[in-house]
Structures are given as C-alpha cells and as structure tokens.
Amino acid sequence: MAAATATLEYADRASREMRERAAARNIPTIWDRYEDVQPQCRFGKLGICCRICSMGPCRISLKEGKPPLVGACGADADTIAARNVARMIAAGTAAHSDHGRSIAHTLRLAADTDQADYQIKDEDKLRALARTYGIKTEGREARQIAREVASAALDEFGRQEGEMVMPTTAPAARQRVWKDLGIYPRSIDREVVELMHRTSMGVDADYRNILRHGMRTALADGWGGSMIATELSDILFSTPRPLRSTANLGVLNPRHVNIIVHGHEPTLSDVLAVMSRDAKLLERARERGAEGITVAGICCTANEILMRHGIPIAGNFLQQELAVLTGAIEMMVVDVQCLMPGLSELAKCFHTMLITTSPKARMPGVQHIEFREDKGRAVAREILETAVDNFAHRAAEKVYIPDAKERLVAGFTSESVFRFLGGRYRATYRPLNDGIMTGRLRGAAGVIGCSNPNVDYEKGHIGLVKELLKNDVLVVTTGCDAIACAKHGLMRPEAAFAHAGQGLQEICRAVGIPPVLHLGSCVDNSRILRVLSNVVAEGGLGEDISDLPVAGAAPEWMSEKAVAIGFYFVASGVYTLIGQPLPMMGSENVRRYLTEEIEQEVGGKWAFELDPVEAAHRMIRHIDGKRQALKLKPMMYAQAFKSEG
Ligand code: SF4
Ligand code: MSK
C-alpha cells in the first residue's frame, strides 16, 4: 500500500520549488490535503465496500474466514470488487466518449453553418474516415461528406440495433476474439448504460461476467468514443505534425499576460490559442502594460494545443495549483475533467481569475463564462479580453516563476511518425517492423496516464521510461506521462544518446526522432491502437495485436479514465502494467482473473508494480516472450537487461 508520505524528490525542479514556496506561505496544495485524508479506508482501497443500495454500506471482513463474508444481500467480495471496478470503467468511458460526442457535434456545426467558427482542416482524413463508414466521397464537397461523417459518428453513441463501425478498423483476428467472447461493442451509450444496470443492486453477481462486460464497455471507449474524439479533432483542428516547443512552469513570461487553459476538450482552447495572437488583443495587452500574451496548457488541453500549434506546456495534473502559485497567471480557463475543486480557494490568494466554461463542470463561487460552439470566437474574445484586463491587478511582489523549462519535439501521430520513420515521407511501418524483426529494437511500449500524490511524483514515469529506453524499447506516450517525459528532457532528439540502448539510438539518429514519441492527449491513446493495428497490417510480426512484442503502462494512474484505458488495452491483447493495483485486491478471484486467466480469453492481462525498474523489467520479460514466440532474431547489441528464459 502506498505511503502517505510520498515525496517530490524525483520531480522536476520547478515543482519542488513551488511546493516549498506553498509550504512556506502556509498555502495547502494537493499533497497537504492528501496527508489530511490519511489513513484512507482499507475496504475502499481493496474494493470490498459496497454502497450501491441503502441496505449498505456493506464491508467484507479483511480477516480470512471471519464474518462478514458477504453483504446483507449475500453479495460476496468477488461480486462487490468486480462491480466497483466495472463502475470505474463506465465512468471513464463516459468521460472520454462525452468528449468525443461534443467534437462530433462541432463537426456537424462546421458542416451545417456557413459562418461557423470551425472549418474542416484535414480533408484527407475526413475522406478516409468517410470510407470507414461507407460514405461516398467521390465528386462530393467536403462539407457534404462531413455532415454524413458527423451523423455516422453520432450514431455510434446511440445505435439501438447492430454493432459499432469504428472497431472494424482493428485487425480481423482481434475482431474475431471479441466476437467469440461476446464483447464486440454495439454502441457507446448502450454499453455504459448496460454496465450501470448490471452492477446495480441484485443484477449480475458473476464477477467474470461483470468484467467481460466491462471490457466491452472499455472497447466502446478506445475503439469508439476516444477514437472519434481523436479522428474528428484532427479533421477540425488539423492532424498534428512534428514540431518543437517547451514545457514546464518556466514557459510563463513575467512581462506577459499569462493565460492557462486546463482540462480536455480542444474546441475552446484551440480557438483561444489562435485568437491570442490577434493584433488588436496584443495592442490591448500593451495598453495595460504587458509586453505580450502567453497561453500555456495544463493536463490534456496542454497536449491538444501543443500537438497542433506548438503552444508550450505549463505542467501536468499535479502542477495545476503550482501554476497559480506563481502569482503570474491572469486567468485559468477550465472546461472538463481533472480539474481540482481546490483551485477555487487557491485562486483567491492571488489575482488569478478562475473561469469555468462548461455547463457540465461548474464550481461554487467561480465565475462562469459559458462556451458554446456556435459562438466559439465571440466567447474566446470575451475570455481573452477579460484576462488581459486582469493584468492590472497582478501583485508584483507575489510573482515567482521558476527558471525551468525544457525543449521538446512533439506532434507525432499514427500517420506521421512512421511516415517520418520511413525517411522519405512514405506512409510505411516497414522500418519499424524491420527494426524489431532484426533485433535493433526490442519492441515498443505505450507509457501513459496521470500523476498521483499517493506515489513519489514522477519517479514512476521517469524511472520506468528510462529503463525501457536503456533496453531498446521505443516509447510512445500521451497524457500526463507525456508531460513528465517532456519536462525531464526525454523528448529532445538528443535524449537518445543519453538514455537509449545502442539499437534504439541508431533508429533515432537515422530519422531524427526523440526516443519518446508524444502522441497527444488521453483520448489520443486511440492513436496507439492505430499504431498497433498498422504494425500488424505491415506484416512479419504476427496476425494480431496480442502477438506483438509490445506492452503498456500507467505507472502513476489516478483517474477512472485510466481504468477504462487499461481495460481497452487488455481487451485489445496488450500486457498492461499499472503502479497502484486496481481497487479489487480484496477479492483473490478477481485478482487472479484480471492478472492471469483473462489472458486466455483476450491475449492481454493486467500487472501491478510500483517499483519503476522492476515494472520495466516485467514489461521487457513480456516483450521478450513475444519475440521468442515469433522466433525473431536475437537482439543485435548487448543489453543492459537480459530477461530470464
Ligand atoms: Fe450491501 Fe448488497 Fe446493498 Fe451492496 S447491494 S450495499 S452488498 S446489501
Ligand atoms: S489529464 S486523465 S490526469 S493523464 Fe488527461 Fe492527466 Fe490523467 Fe487527467
């Protein structure tokens, strides 16, 4: 179990400095509040407390054989633990997919309205997606196609008959696995609703049956809601291309109006990023004594606008309060997800205006400027002007911006990265597959997910990624792990020479990529699914995702969304390791099912490991096992780590 005394010893310098400044000024942050909620409930941690009906809450005994072994209704630890995990999947899927739904509505708006603030920026991608949905593209205008694509995407949410279309882009062998097990997703809303139904009082009591439907729901997220969010965002806001930028709190400028965008959906933040360069607005900023306007991001909003505009990243989840503590933020604009309610009290200590913008996510006492896609630019202008005007209220004596920012290269996608790897802008995965087959690369790993005060900040992310690189494992990343890697310099092209094994260094040198590839926000984990499908399609590494020498990890996961992501990777055939176990360890049967038996059903499984080096070695052992099964050549160079057997 994690200690309540997790440290910032391994974190970047800016985070350590700002945490110390907060402590010196007696301003509580997430780490202090986390201490305040100790000791945490062990029943909750182990997943064996049920409160889904008013006969409860019922807690199963922690002592083996000692009553109560079942709740008042007779539900045992297996049922209760499975239901609790399943409800996390439902919530995570709902969050990602609701994001996808709002992007689909925005695409329809762009298609329907002449004066829309949104346009179709990637017509090639629109036409490719139209083909997936069987929509005719020849001789048709982009907006006509977009209207039908938006409708087809929206149908994925509420379809009452038949099955989802987007998952047909998975390898054929993978789709067969889902069909045989009865977990091919039918529609996004339907799977979430059915999961909530099954886990309500007195319905599904079979832990395997519950968790299989959990996988079906998670698949509706990864191959549905999240994939729709990614694809349609690329169509509307442009598909990212490799670009340079910077990360960490040092991106804030003491002489500028600083605006932080925080949350997840790109519909507002993209417009804000573009409009912040408007000449009239810059003039307004100068009139108020500022030399310019800096927009920087926190959490996945940061990843969205970094990937498409090169807008710098201020920080990840655990840095949202630290950014306000600089005293240099005129406004923090939030939309949905990963927003700490504690921000509202903290903002009162400074001149920082906290602005909520989504009707789904308001905070008591916090100013709300409602964002509507049909008034995108007008709302963005109001927000930006209000932020600029707030510069006059900044208290110079409260400003402290740590001198810490790191260079990075980001903007990779399932299309661009390996077009790049091909060296001649060919869309081919051949060089990647060849690199793995010849033993220059051991394999690939997706390292993703949140940060969490219950573990040493960024020890898990950075320790794990560095150990993988040392052993010639190419790393792709999204979310808050991507931001951690950027802050620690792992996205500089030259990072390969400091951290990668010889084979991986050769690949990075040949094509000029960093050893850690930033693929975007949390919904962009769907890009990793696409990469895996493309590697299978390229040939030579098996017939299914579960044959590939790959693994996934979320070392410092926090959100229910991470649980949904983990389940869709496991159900897609990927060995998936997280730091803290899922909250179900109070049921030995559920633990055994998720970490062992499930592999027989879907080819992937869960693993839990807090130590980052051991976590990397467990992933490497899995990758080496897949290499052996494929009878690939031995690794080309002596390795820092040799797996047993
Ligand atoms: Fe207790 Fe059963 Fe109600 Fe859960 S569903 S709270 S175990 S009586
Ligand atoms: S923002 S979900 S803390 S990765 Fe996507 Fe970061 Fe996790 Fe939120």
Side-chain angles (χ1 to χ4, degrees):
M1 198 150 294
T5 50
T7 72
L8 274 74
E9 190 187 336
Y10 303 88
D12 61 281
R13 185 162 53 80
S15 296
R16 281 183 275 127
E17 270 183 42
M18 294 314 295
R19 168 86 207 283
E20 280 161 22
R21 283 181 71 85
R25 294 181 60 185
N26 245 339
I27 300 178
T29 60
I30 178 99
W31 290 277
D32 304 298
R33 294 189 299 272
Y34 181 70
E35 294 274 346
D36 289 346
V37 295
Q38 303 305 317
Q40 286 176 314
C41 171
R42 290 185 66 202
F43 298 92
K45 273 246 181 253
L46 296 171
I48 48 175
C49 172
C50 180
R51 51 175 185 77
I52 65 174
C53 90
S54 76
M55 293 188 279
C58 301
R59 308 186 314 186
I60 300 304
S61 173
L62 293 174
K63 290 204 183 116
E64 209 174 317
K66 187 174 179 290
L69 299 177
V70 293
C73 66
D76 61 12
D78 303 339
T79 303
I80 292 172
R83 285 196 305 219
N84 287 335
V85 170
R87 287 188 163 214
M88 295 180 88
I89 301 172
T93 300
H96 287 146
S97 300
D98 214 28
H99 170 167
R101 188 197 324 261
S102 79
I103 307 287
H105 280 297
T106 309
L107 180 64
R108 193 161 68 181
L109 182 79
D112 280 349
T113 321
D114 276 340
Q115 308 300 326
D117 291 340
Y118 301 92
Q119 266 100 41
I120 290 143
K121 299 253 175 70
D122 189 339
E123 205 175 311
D124 289 346
K125 192 154 221 184
L126 173 71
R127 288 177 187 274
L129 188 57
R131 286 191 285 278
T132 299
Y133 281 115
I135 294 165
K136 189 171 167 289
T137 57
E138 272 165 42
R140 300 183 78 198
E141 299 265 309
R143 277 179 53 191
Q144 272 180 308
I145 300 169
R147 196 169 295 122
E148 289 181 28
V149 166
S151 293
L154 288 167
D155 277 352
E156 300 273 41
F157 291 85
R159 176 174 295 113
Q160 299 301 314
E161 305 287 342
E163 293 171 329
M164 292 179 65
V165 178
M166 198 70 113
T168 59
T169 56
R174 183 59 13 198
Q175 294 179 53
R176 271 197 303 280
V177 169
W178 299 335
K179 294 248 160 112
D180 291 348
L181 195 60
I183 61 169
Y184 190 102
R186 296 159 297 181
S187 78
I188 299 162
D189 295 355
R190 179 172 185 179
E191 305 310 358
V192 172
V193 167
E194 186 171 317
L195 192 51
M196 293 307 287
H197 175 197
R198 283 178 185 234
T199 55
S200 63
M201 198 275 149
V203 187
D204 203 346
D206 177 339
Y207 65 94
R208 290 192 186 91
N209 206 41
I210 294 168
L211 291 166
R212 283 184 199 124
H213 189 75
M215 284 194 279
R216 190 177 210 177
T217 307
L219 289 169
D221 174 356
W223 296 88
S226 285
M227 202 168 270
I228 287 169
T230 297
E231 297 278 309
L232 301 195
S233 294
D234 285 354
I235 291 168
L236 276 171
F237 306 114
S238 75
T239 301
R241 296 190 176 273
L243 47 70
R244 290 178 190 276
S245 188
T246 46
N248 214 343
L249 295 171
V251 305
L252 301 172
N253 188 321
R255 294 177 300 282
H256 281 195
V257 172
N258 291 304
I259 301 169
I260 293 282
V261 283
H262 171 24
H264 276 76
E265 294 178 5
T267 32
L268 171 60
S269 55
D270 200 275
V271 183
L272 278 174
V274 172
M275 288 185 63
S276 67
R277 294 163 183 161
D278 178 82
K280 276 195 198 144
L281 203 71
L282 287 168
E283 186 51 39
R284 189 179 180 114
R286 283 191 206 104
E287 282 164 15
R288 279 148 185 79
E291 290 178 15
I293 299 171
T294 292
V295 173
I298 294 269
C299 277
C300 277
T301 290
N303 293 321
E304 295 279 358
I305 56 174
L306 165 76
M307 294 282 283
R308 298 192 175 90
H309 301 287
I311 300 282
I313 291 181
N316 57 11
F317 175 68
L318 287 187
Q319 287 176 290
Q320 55 190 282
E321 293 175 300
L322 306 184
V324 175
L325 276 154
T326 63
I329 308 292
E330 273 54 56
M331 184 181 278
M332 180 179 273
V333 187
V334 302
D335 59 4
V336 290
Q337 303 173 21
C338 302
L339 322 168
M340 289 186 200
L343 282 172
S344 61
E345 275 308 300
L346 177 64
K348 288 179 194 158
C349 303
F350 300 88
H351 75 303
T352 305
M353 296 179 76
L354 181 63
I355 302 285
T356 55
T357 58
S358 168
K360 296 171 197 165
R362 295 183 70 152
M363 296 185 195
V366 169
Q367 188 178 343
H368 184 75
I369 302 180
E370 191 137 317
F371 175 66
R372 287 177 40 182
E373 285 81 358
D374 60 348
K375 293 187 175 167
R377 291 176 70 84
V379 176
R381 179 165 297 282
E382 182 188 350
I383 288 173
L384 288 167
E385 287 178 356
T386 312
V388 166
D389 293 349
N390 194 32
F391 185 75
H393 299 121
R394 186 188 286 185
E397 71 281 5
K398 287 189 181 176
V399 173
Y400 178 80
I401 299 174
D403 179 21
K405 65 178 169 188
E406 192 53 79
R407 289 178 295 119
L408 64 96
V409 176
F412 297 99
T413 64
S414 57
E415 299 93 357
S416 73
V417 61
F418 299 114
R419 192 175 298 163
F420 209 51
L421 258 181
R424 289 185 294 279
Y425 295 94
R426 285 182 299 131
T428 174
Y429 275 62
R430 202 65 255 156
L432 177 69
N433 286 34
D434 284 349
I436 293 172
M437 289 163 73
T438 57
R440 188 168 266 120
L441 278 182
R442 188 184 289 264
V447 187
I448 64 144
C450 325
S451 37
N452 191 325
N454 70 6
V455 290
D456 295 332
Y457 184 35
E458 290 179 349
K459 181 184 178 191
H461 287 302
I462 302 306
L464 171 62
V465 169
K466 283 187 177 172
E467 194 64 20
L468 291 169
L469 299 180
K470 203 159 85 183
N471 288 281
D472 290 323
V473 178
L474 178 72
V475 173
V476 296
T477 177
T478 62
C480 288
D481 178 86
I483 300 174
C485 289
K487 287 189 298 173
H488 288 263
L490 297 176
M491 287 180 184
R492 289 177 295 147
E494 62 270 28
F497 307 118
H499 301 291
Q502 196 173 337
L504 178 54
Q505 273 188 36
E506 286 176 5
I507 297 269
C508 292
R509 190 186 299 123
V511 291
I513 53 167
V516 179
L517 302 176
H518 193 332
L519 262 63
S521 65
C522 294
V523 292
D524 293 336
N525 284 313
S526 62
R527 296 194 202 276
I528 301 179
L529 297 176
R530 286 265 196 250
V531 169
L532 296 172
S533 304
N534 292 347
V535 171
V536 170
E538 187 66 43
L541 289 172
E543 297 299 314
D544 192 358
I545 293 171
S546 55
D547 296 330
L548 301 176
V550 300
E556 300 181 25
W557 76 278
M558 163 282 295
S559 164
E560 289 161 319
K561 293 177 285 176
V563 179
I565 294 166
F567 267 95
Y568 71 64
F569 273 104
V570 167
S572 298
V574 178
Y575 175 87
T576 301
L577 182 145
I578 58 176
Q580 290 283 314
L582 292 168
M584 53 79 221
M585 296 292 271
S587 161
E588 176 55 18
N589 282 334
V590 171
R591 186 206 63 75
R592 192 182 311 109
Y593 177 63
L594 293 179
T595 59
E596 297 171 27
E597 296 162 8
I598 203 170
E599 192 174 20
Q600 298 298 318
E601 297 183 356
V602 291
K605 64 179 176 181
W606 285 91
F608 313 125
E609 177 59 59
L610 273 167
D611 179 80
V613 173
E614 179 52 24
H617 290 182
R618 287 177 71 173
M619 293 165 75
I620 290 167
R621 280 195 284 274
H622 173 82
I623 288 171
D624 283 352
K626 293 293 176 185
R627 291 187 64 88
Q628 276 186 359
L630 288 165
K631 300 192 173 35
L632 299 182
K633 290 186 179 153
M635 293 299 292
M636 204 173 265
Y637 300 108
Q639 299 298 303
F641 169 77
K642 287 199 172 45
S643 55
E644 297 144 18

